Structures are given as structure tokens and as C-alpha cells.
Amino acid sequence: ARKAAAEVELKNSADRLALARRNCGDSEQVLAANVSALKGSRAGLVSSVIEVQLALMHGTAEAILDIAKAHEDSEMQLARGEAELMESLRVGAEAASTECERVLDEK
């Protein structure tokens, strides 16, 4: 009877050991899946960070282009203003010269 009880206990222990091994294997698979998911999440995070950096760089580049365009527009306005001023001075000088000649002719 003791032998039969010991054999039953041994069989129960073997079954518990097999169950523990199966659970351990399942836990290893779950752990491997979690590690894989974590690596995927990390890759996604790195990708997101890169996308944000590229967007910021693109935005900065666009802002620089906008500033350059505004500077170019200002330079063109300044050049037009200088040309208008020079034309105004030329017309004024011609008018003054004509007036001086008229005054001299009258004397």
C-alpha cells in the first residue's frame, strides 16, 4: 500500500513538474512576445521622434525661406524707392534749372 501511495505521489509530482514546465514554456513565450512588442514599440517611438524632428526641420526651413522672401521683397521695395527718389530729384533739378534760366532770361 505504501508503495502504491508512493507511486501515486511520484506520478502526481511528475504531473505537477510537467505542468510547471508547460507553464514555464508558456511564460517564456509570453515574455518573448512582450520583448518583441517592446522592440516594435521602441522602433515606432524612434520613428515618431524622427518624424517630429523632420517636421521641425521642414518648418524651420520654410520659415527661413519666408524670411528670405520677405528680405528680398524689402530689397526690391527699397530699390524701387531709391529709383523713384532719384527720378524725383532729376525732375526737380531740371525744373530748378529751367526756372533759373527763365529768371536769368528775364533780367
Side-chain angles (χ1 to χ4, degrees):
R2 278 192 204 160
K3 184 177 177 188
E7 286 176 356
V8 169
E9 184 62 32
L10 182 60
K11 168 107 173 72
N12 288 342
S13 293
D15 289 346
R16 284 195 304 267
L17 180 60
L19 179 62
R21 284 183 177 158
R22 224 178 10 256
N23 287 341
C24 183
D26 291 345
S27 295
E28 286 177 350
Q29 289 176 348
V30 169
L31 179 60
N34 286 342
V35 167
S36 179
L38 182 59
K39 286 180 181 177
S41 295
R42 183 172 182 212
L45 178 61
V46 168
S47 176
S48 295
V49 168
I50 290 171
E51 287 176 16
V52 167
Q53 288 175 335
L54 289 175
L56 288 173
M57 289 169 53
H58 180 70
T60 301
E62 285 184 346
I64 290 170
L65 289 175
D66 289 346
I67 292 168
K69 176 78 170 101
H71 180 71
E72 183 179 305
D73 290 347
S74 294
E75 285 182 339
M76 289 188 333
Q77 287 176 348
L78 179 61
R80 278 195 302 271
E82 287 175 344
E84 290 172 1
L85 177 61
M86 292 302 288
E87 178 64 16
S88 176
L89 290 173
R90 185 188 64 74
V91 169
E94 285 178 1
S97 176
T98 302
E99 183 64 21
C100 286
E101 287 176 11
R102 187 187 66 73
V103 169
L104 288 175
D105 287 346
E106 288 178 359
K107 289 189 174 189

